[in-house]
Amino acid sequence: MTYLDYQATTPLAPEALAAMLPWLESQHANPHSPHREGRRAKAAVEVARDQVAALLPAGGRVAFTSGATEALNWAIKGTIGPILTLATEHAAVLDTVAAEAARGRQITILPVNPDGVVDLDQARAVVQPGTGLVAAMLVNNEIGVIQPVAALAEIAHAAGALMLCDAVQGYGRVPIPDTVDLLAISAHKIHGPKGIGALWIRDGIDLAPLMHGGGQEAPGRSGTLSPALCAGFGVAAHLMADRKDQDAAHIDRLWSLALDRLGPGWTINGSTDHRYHGNFNIRREGLDVNRLMSDLRDIAFSAGSACASGSGRSSHVLRAIGLTEAQARASIRLGFGRYTTETELRDAIDAIVAAAEAQWP
């Protein structure tokens, strides 16, 4: 199997697995217990917290969560006031914002340009004094477009609003503006384990709790932490920092290779100038994506977000950048990264192109 679905999840780094195993095999203490073994577990959690925080702005707290979905829910539901967000955000933001709207909170969904990037003049016109929260994704999970989060944060702060950044796809890969106020990340998008993420909260910001209980995480998140998951997350974050230049150069080579092998008849969805190069979202007019996937069962790629794969709907992101229903349904997403070899990607794209051309005998 050639795995080209890095936006859905990434392969677990061997180093992260090695860090997790002792806490799964023999070290089973609760990190919130006061005895010696509990303190050892807590120490492992705090080492991981520091490793995760090393890739984040200074002046904030890292609260571990069950994943980015919980972190985004907490950030949105824990704040007050009108919300502005973008039409291309992840469902974890858009559906949470819709739930807040049902409770009477004022919501504005800002469109994006055909390249997927927000129009900052439109944002300035909409974000007015009294706005409570601006929420934007750093790197889009479907089309890889990088939003001008620093500029959005400046607009938000000028109106007295907080800036929430969904940095799930960008964490460790794209510089995170140090002016954001809230930031959500996930371990399994950086070669860490599934089931753990974090919300970074700028010092001085208090959020209403999302879940009530023991309040184990100081900013107000309740629930027993898993030292194994924390350790895996921490080592994965450390590797992202340690291998940043190496990974970036490798991904740039893969991007160039993908462009070279694609051939005519294909169009890249979203900006190529403001984009993370590990995302290759492409379309071909009239392409039957279901048939393509059936013909290429030894290549793992997607037709959009894994979170919406069972909905039967075409991608809301592709529709938001102006694609027709037919164009959106003729699009595929290839995601590659650290463990993708150039040979794998070359052979996979050649196979995809050949299978697509075979649809027009």
Side-chain angles (χ1 to χ4, degrees):
M1 172 64 70
T2 298
Y3 184 76
L4 297 178
D5 203 15
Y6 269 56
Q7 276 75 56
T9 193
T10 55
L12 182 65
E15 297 90 338
L17 175 60
M20 294 170 65
L21 284 177
W23 298 102
L24 295 170
E25 293 175 334
S26 58
Q27 297 170 304
H28 52 265
N30 187 322
H32 313 292
S33 295
H35 48 64
R36 184 187 64 187
E37 291 305 301
R39 293 196 301 272
R40 288 182 62 198
K42 180 176 176 58
V45 168
E46 295 310 313
V47 167
R49 196 189 308 276
D50 289 343
Q51 290 172 318
V52 170
L55 288 168
L56 297 172
R61 301 159 288 170
V62 171
F64 287 119
T65 63
S66 62
T69 294
E70 181 192 335
L72 290 165
N73 269 261
W74 183 14
I76 293 168
K77 295 178 180 179
T79 57
I80 59 174
I83 302 172
L84 178 135
T85 191
L86 310 183
T88 51
E89 294 300 298
H90 192 278
V93 168
L94 293 178
D95 288 0
T96 305
V97 163
E100 289 293 276
R103 296 173 53 193
R105 201 166 174 185
Q106 182 181 334
I107 306 299
T108 301
I109 308 293
L110 202 62
V112 296
N113 294 323
D115 63 357
V117 180
V118 66
D119 185 320
L120 291 175
D121 289 334
Q122 284 190 327
R124 288 188 188 93
V126 174
V127 180
Q128 299 293 324
T131 301
L133 183 70
V134 175
M137 190 185 293
L138 181 60
V139 175
N140 188 270
N141 62 307
E142 292 199 38
I143 56 175
V145 168
I146 300 172
Q147 294 293 353
V149 170
L152 288 170
E154 183 179 352
I155 293 169
H157 294 156
L162 298 176
M163 182 70 211
L164 165 62
C165 177
D166 173 354
V168 168
Q169 299 288 341
Y171 174 68
R173 300 182 176 99
V174 174
I176 296 173
D178 59 9
T179 51
V180 299
D181 301 298
L182 299 161
L183 194 144
I185 56 177
S186 178
H188 76 101
K189 302 303 172 88
I190 62 161
H191 307 290
K194 297 170 183 63
I196 185 168
L199 179 65
W200 178 88
I201 306 167
R202 181 170 297 283
D203 292 340
I205 295 174
D206 293 319
L207 297 178
L210 180 65
M211 302 183 296
H212 296 84
Q216 285 88 344
E217 287 288 82
R221 194 265 184 182
S222 294
T224 300
L225 294 177
S226 163
L229 293 179
C230 292
F233 193 0
V235 168
H238 177 73
L239 286 171
M240 292 298 286
D242 192 51
R243 296 177 52 105
K244 182 177 180 180
D245 292 341
Q246 181 181 349
D247 283 350
H250 178 58
I251 288 165
D252 283 343
R253 287 194 300 271
L254 294 175
W255 168 267
S256 296
L257 184 153
L259 287 175
D260 290 342
R261 305 298 296 192
L262 192 60
W266 296 84
T267 301
I268 296 176
N269 294 322
S271 173
T272 55
D273 295 327
H274 307 285
R275 192 189 195 99
Y276 167 62
H277 282 172
N279 174 291
F280 204 60
N281 194 304
I282 53 178
R283 71 179 188 272
R284 180 167 176 154
E285 297 298 325
L287 181 68
D288 184 336
V289 172
N290 288 332
R291 176 181 166 186
L292 188 71
M293 288 184 166
S294 179
D295 290 342
L296 300 170
R297 297 185 183 184
D298 58 345
I299 304 174
F301 61 97
S302 79
S305 169
C307 303
S309 61
S311 69
R313 299 171 294 177
S314 64
S315 162
H316 73 281
V317 173
L318 297 182
R319 296 197 308 272
I321 63 173
L323 269 61
T324 65
E325 185 75 11
Q327 288 173 326
R329 291 188 180 276
S331 299
I332 61 173
R333 183 186 67 182
L334 310 181
F336 37 80
R338 180 185 300 165
Y339 302 113
T340 309
T341 69
E342 294 184 33
T343 300
E344 280 181 319
L345 183 60
R346 182 195 64 229
D347 292 349
I349 290 184
D350 288 351
I352 289 169
V353 169
E357 290 177 350
Q359 294 185 10
W360 291 272

PDB file of all heavy atoms in Angstrom, residues 41-64:
ATOM      1  N   ALA A  41       4.728   9.570  36.576  1.00  0.00           N
ATOM      2  CA  ALA A  41       3.858   9.722  35.411  1.00  0.00           C
ATOM      3  C   ALA A  41       3.610  11.198  35.107  1.00  0.00           C
ATOM      4  O   ALA A  41       3.638  11.621  33.946  1.00  0.00           O
ATOM      5  CB  ALA A  41       2.532   8.992  35.650  1.00  0.00           C
ATOM      6  N   LYS A  42       3.401  11.978  36.164  1.00  0.00           N
ATOM      7  CA  LYS A  42       3.185  13.415  35.969  1.00  0.00           C
ATOM      8  C   LYS A  42       4.424  14.073  35.361  1.00  0.00           C
ATOM      9  O   LYS A  42       4.318  14.950  34.485  1.00  0.00           O
ATOM     10  CB  LYS A  42       2.832  14.088  37.295  1.00  0.00           C
ATOM     11  CG  LYS A  42       2.602  15.605  37.169  1.00  0.00           C
ATOM     12  CD  LYS A  42       2.155  16.209  38.471  1.00  0.00           C
ATOM     13  CE  LYS A  42       2.015  17.729  38.361  1.00  0.00           C
ATOM     14  NZ  LYS A  42       1.069  18.130  37.300  1.00  0.00           N
ATOM     15  N   ALA A  43       5.597  13.634  35.797  1.00  0.00           N
ATOM     16  CA  ALA A  43       6.837  14.197  35.252  1.00  0.00           C
ATOM     17  C   ALA A  43       6.933  13.920  33.756  1.00  0.00           C
ATOM     18  O   ALA A  43       7.358  14.793  32.976  1.00  0.00           O
ATOM     19  CB  ALA A  43       8.047  13.621  35.981  1.00  0.00           C
ATOM     20  N   ALA A  44       6.526  12.729  33.333  1.00  0.00           N
ATOM     21  CA  ALA A  44       6.542  12.397  31.901  1.00  0.00           C
ATOM     22  C   ALA A  44       5.569  13.285  31.125  1.00  0.00           C
ATOM     23  O   ALA A  44       5.870  13.728  30.005  1.00  0.00           O
ATOM     24  CB  ALA A  44       6.198  10.925  31.708  1.00  0.00           C
ATOM     25  N   VAL A  45       4.413  13.539  31.730  1.00  0.00           N
ATOM     26  CA  VAL A  45       3.430  14.423  31.097  1.00  0.00           C
ATOM     27  C   VAL A  45       3.996  15.827  30.939  1.00  0.00           C
ATOM     28  O   VAL A  45       3.829  16.464  29.885  1.00  0.00           O
ATOM     29  CB  VAL A  45       2.123  14.451  31.920  1.00  0.00           C
ATOM     30  CG1 VAL A  45       1.207  15.577  31.452  1.00  0.00           C
ATOM     31  CG2 VAL A  45       1.411  13.103  31.832  1.00  0.00           C
ATOM     32  N   GLU A  46       4.698  16.309  31.963  1.00  0.00           N
ATOM     33  CA  GLU A  46       5.222  17.676  31.901  1.00  0.00           C
ATOM     34  C   GLU A  46       6.375  17.801  30.910  1.00  0.00           C
ATOM     35  O   GLU A  46       6.534  18.841  30.264  1.00  0.00           O
ATOM     36  CB  GLU A  46       5.641  18.143  33.294  1.00  0.00           C
ATOM     37  CG  GLU A  46       4.484  18.253  34.272  1.00  0.00           C
ATOM     38  CD  GLU A  46       3.316  19.058  33.703  1.00  0.00           C
ATOM     39  OE1 GLU A  46       3.555  20.143  33.142  1.00  0.00           O
ATOM     40  OE2 GLU A  46       2.166  18.577  33.800  1.00  0.00           O
ATOM     41  N   VAL A  47       7.175  16.746  30.775  1.00  0.00           N
ATOM     42  CA  VAL A  47       8.211  16.750  29.735  1.00  0.00           C
ATOM     43  C   VAL A  47       7.551  16.870  28.364  1.00  0.00           C
ATOM     44  O   VAL A  47       7.977  17.663  27.504  1.00  0.00           O
ATOM     45  CB  VAL A  47       9.075  15.480  29.819  1.00  0.00           C
ATOM     46  CG1 VAL A  47       9.932  15.330  28.553  1.00  0.00           C
ATOM     47  CG2 VAL A  47       9.964  15.512  31.045  1.00  0.00           C
ATOM     48  N   ALA A  48       6.504  16.090  28.154  1.00  0.00           N
ATOM     49  CA  ALA A  48       5.784  16.142  26.879  1.00  0.00           C
ATOM     50  C   ALA A  48       5.163  17.514  26.652  1.00  0.00           C
ATOM     51  O   ALA A  48       5.185  18.045  25.529  1.00  0.00           O
ATOM     52  CB  ALA A  48       4.699  15.063  26.849  1.00  0.00           C
ATOM     53  N   ARG A  49       4.627  18.107  27.702  1.00  0.00           N
ATOM     54  CA  ARG A  49       4.017  19.437  27.577  1.00  0.00           C
ATOM     55  C   ARG A  49       5.060  20.451  27.101  1.00  0.00           C
ATOM     56  O   ARG A  49       4.788  21.287  26.238  1.00  0.00           O
ATOM     57  CB  ARG A  49       3.411  19.862  28.920  1.00  0.00           C
ATOM     58  CG  ARG A  49       2.439  21.043  28.795  1.00  0.00           C
ATOM     59  CD  ARG A  49       2.016  21.584  30.158  1.00  0.00           C
ATOM     60  NE  ARG A  49       1.518  20.568  31.064  1.00  0.00           N
ATOM     61  CZ  ARG A  49       0.273  20.113  31.072  1.00  0.00           C
ATOM     62  NH1 ARG A  49      -0.593  20.572  30.193  1.00  0.00           N
ATOM     63  NH2 ARG A  49      -0.096  19.193  31.936  1.00  0.00           N
ATOM     64  N   ASP A  50       6.250  20.375  27.666  1.00  0.00           N
ATOM     65  CA  ASP A  50       7.322  21.292  27.258  1.00  0.00           C
ATOM     66  C   ASP A  50       7.729  21.054  25.804  1.00  0.00           C
ATOM     67  O   ASP A  50       8.025  22.001  25.071  1.00  0.00           O
ATOM     68  CB  ASP A  50       8.533  21.136  28.172  1.00  0.00           C
ATOM     69  CG  ASP A  50       8.294  21.685  29.577  1.00  0.00           C
ATOM     70  OD1 ASP A  50       7.332  22.466  29.756  1.00  0.00           O
ATOM     71  OD2 ASP A  50       9.069  21.321  30.483  1.00  0.00           O
ATOM     72  N   GLN A  51       7.755  19.789  25.391  1.00  0.00           N
ATOM     73  CA  GLN A  51       8.122  19.481  24.008  1.00  0.00           C
ATOM     74  C   GLN A  51       7.079  20.018  23.025  1.00  0.00           C
ATOM     75  O   GLN A  51       7.428  20.548  21.962  1.00  0.00           O
ATOM     76  CB  GLN A  51       8.274  17.966  23.834  1.00  0.00           C
ATOM     77  CG  GLN A  51       9.481  17.386  24.544  1.00  0.00           C
ATOM     78  CD  GLN A  51       9.492  15.868  24.520  1.00  0.00           C
ATOM     79  OE1 GLN A  51       8.454  15.225  24.723  1.00  0.00           O
ATOM     80  NE2 GLN A  51      10.657  15.280  24.270  1.00  0.00           N
ATOM     81  N   VAL A  52       5.824  19.892  23.382  1.00  0.00           N
ATOM     82  CA  VAL A  52       4.758  20.414  22.529  1.00  0.00           C
ATOM     83  C   VAL A  52       4.804  21.943  22.493  1.00  0.00           C
ATOM     84  O   VAL A  52       4.661  22.567  21.436  1.00  0.00           O
ATOM     85  CB  VAL A  52       3.382  19.917  23.024  1.00  0.00           C
ATOM     86  CG1 VAL A  52       2.244  20.639  22.308  1.00  0.00           C
ATOM     87  CG2 VAL A  52       3.264  18.405  22.834  1.00  0.00           C
ATOM     88  N   ALA A  53       5.035  22.553  23.652  1.00  0.00           N
ATOM     89  CA  ALA A  53       5.046  24.012  23.756  1.00  0.00           C
ATOM     90  C   ALA A  53       6.222  24.636  23.016  1.00  0.00           C
ATOM     91  O   ALA A  53       6.155  25.810  22.618  1.00  0.00           O
ATOM     92  CB  ALA A  53       5.086  24.427  25.226  1.00  0.00           C
ATOM     93  N   ALA A  54       7.286  23.875  22.806  1.00  0.00           N
ATOM     94  CA  ALA A  54       8.480  24.427  22.159  1.00  0.00           C
ATOM     95  C   ALA A  54       8.202  24.911  20.741  1.00  0.00           C
ATOM     96  O   ALA A  54       8.944  25.751  20.217  1.00  0.00           O
ATOM     97  CB  ALA A  54       9.594  23.386  22.144  1.00  0.00           C
ATOM     98  N   LEU A  55       7.149  24.408  20.106  1.00  0.00           N
ATOM     99  CA  LEU A  55       6.786  24.817  18.749  1.00  0.00           C
ATOM    100  C   LEU A  55       5.667  25.849  18.729  1.00  0.00           C
ATOM    101  O   LEU A  55       5.144  26.181  17.660  1.00  0.00           O
ATOM    102  CB  LEU A  55       6.356  23.594  17.936  1.00  0.00           C
ATOM    103  CG  LEU A  55       7.469  22.622  17.536  1.00  0.00           C
ATOM    104  CD1 LEU A  55       6.882  21.332  17.004  1.00  0.00           C
ATOM    105  CD2 LEU A  55       8.380  23.260  16.511  1.00  0.00           C
ATOM    106  N   LEU A  56       5.315  26.363  19.895  1.00  0.00           N
ATOM    107  CA  LEU A  56       4.207  27.306  20.030  1.00  0.00           C
ATOM    108  C   LEU A  56       4.715  28.651  20.542  1.00  0.00           C
ATOM    109  O   LEU A  56       5.845  28.747  21.035  1.00  0.00           O
ATOM    110  CB  LEU A  56       3.161  26.728  20.987  1.00  0.00           C
ATOM    111  CG  LEU A  56       2.500  25.426  20.532  1.00  0.00           C
ATOM    112  CD1 LEU A  56       1.641  24.846  21.643  1.00  0.00           C
ATOM    113  CD2 LEU A  56       1.674  25.662  19.271  1.00  0.00           C
ATOM    114  N   PRO A  57       3.905  29.697  20.426  1.00  0.00           N
ATOM    115  CA  PRO A  57       4.354  31.002  20.921  1.00  0.00           C
ATOM    116  C   PRO A  57       4.659  30.971  22.421  1.00  0.00           C
ATOM    117  O   PRO A  57       4.163  30.118  23.162  1.00  0.00           O
ATOM    118  CB  PRO A  57       3.145  31.913  20.623  1.00  0.00           C
ATOM    119  CG  PRO A  57       2.404  31.225  19.523  1.00  0.00           C
ATOM    120  CD  PRO A  57       2.582  29.763  19.781  1.00  0.00           C
ATOM    121  N   ALA A  58       5.460  31.910  22.858  1.00  0.00           N
ATOM    122  CA  ALA A  58       5.705  32.062  24.294  1.00  0.00           C
ATOM    123  C   ALA A  58       4.510  32.751  24.937  1.00  0.00           C
ATOM    124  O   ALA A  58       3.665  33.335  24.260  1.00  0.00           O
ATOM    125  CB  ALA A  58       6.982  32.872  24.509  1.00  0.00           C
ATOM    126  N   GLY A  59       4.451  32.646  26.262  1.00  0.00           N
ATOM    127  CA  GLY A  59       3.416  33.385  26.983  1.00  0.00           C
ATOM    128  C   GLY A  59       2.058  32.726  26.985  1.00  0.00           C
ATOM    129  O   GLY A  59       1.022  33.416  26.996  1.00  0.00           O
ATOM    130  N   GLY A  60       2.033  31.396  26.988  1.00  0.00           N
ATOM    131  CA  GLY A  60       0.756  30.699  27.027  1.00  0.00           C
ATOM    132  C   GLY A  60       0.878  29.359  27.709  1.00  0.00           C
ATOM    133  O   GLY A  60       1.969  28.926  28.099  1.00  0.00           O
ATOM    134  N   ARG A  61      -0.257  28.672  27.851  1.00  0.00           N
ATOM    135  CA  ARG A  61      -0.319  27.379  28.520  1.00  0.00           C
ATOM    136  C   ARG A  61      -0.820  26.320  27.550  1.00  0.00           C
ATOM    137  O   ARG A  61      -1.737  26.579  26.766  1.00  0.00           O
ATOM    138  CB  ARG A  61      -1.282  27.445  29.707  1.00  0.00           C
ATOM    139  CG  ARG A  61      -0.924  28.479  30.770  1.00  0.00           C
ATOM    140  CD  ARG A  61      -2.144  28.831  31.611  1.00  0.00           C
ATOM    141  NE  ARG A  61      -3.096  29.634  30.836  1.00  0.00           N
ATOM    142  CZ  ARG A  61      -4.337  29.921  31.240  1.00  0.00           C
ATOM    143  NH1 ARG A  61      -4.774  29.447  32.394  1.00  0.00           N
ATOM    144  NH2 ARG A  61      -5.133  30.668  30.480  1.00  0.00           N
ATOM    145  N   VAL A  62      -0.227  25.141  27.597  1.00  0.00           N
ATOM    146  CA  VAL A  62      -0.670  24.011  26.791  1.00  0.00           C
ATOM    147  C   VAL A  62      -1.559  23.123  27.651  1.00  0.00           C
ATOM    148  O   VAL A  62      -1.115  22.594  28.674  1.00  0.00           O
ATOM    149  CB  VAL A  62       0.525  23.192  26.263  1.00  0.00           C
ATOM    150  CG1 VAL A  62       0.053  21.901  25.611  1.00  0.00           C
ATOM    151  CG2 VAL A  62       1.333  24.022  25.269  1.00  0.00           C
ATOM    152  N   ALA A  63      -2.807  22.978  27.248  1.00  0.00           N
ATOM    153  CA  ALA A  63      -3.730  22.071  27.932  1.00  0.00           C
ATOM    154  C   ALA A  63      -3.988  20.879  27.028  1.00  0.00           C
ATOM    155  O   ALA A  63      -4.482  21.039  25.903  1.00  0.00           O
ATOM    156  CB  ALA A  63      -5.040  22.783  28.257  1.00  0.00           C
ATOM    157  N   PHE A  64      -3.626  19.682  27.492  1.00  0.00           N
ATOM    158  CA  PHE A  64      -3.871  18.495  26.678  1.00  0.00           C
ATOM    159  C   PHE A  64      -5.371  18.208  26.608  1.00  0.00           C
ATOM    160  O   PHE A  64      -6.110  18.388  27.585  1.00  0.00           O
ATOM    161  CB  PHE A  64      -3.135  17.292  27.263  1.00  0.00           C
ATOM    162  CG  PHE A  64      -1.649  17.335  27.050  1.00  0.00           C
ATOM    163  CD1 PHE A  64      -0.774  17.359  28.133  1.00  0.00           C
ATOM    164  CD2 PHE A  64      -1.114  17.347  25.772  1.00  0.00           C
ATOM    165  CE1 PHE A  64       0.595  17.391  27.942  1.00  0.00           C
ATOM    166  CE2 PHE A  64       0.257  17.379  25.570  1.00  0.00           C
ATOM    167  CZ  PHE A  64       1.121  17.409  26.653  1.00  0.00           C
TER     168      PHE A  64
END
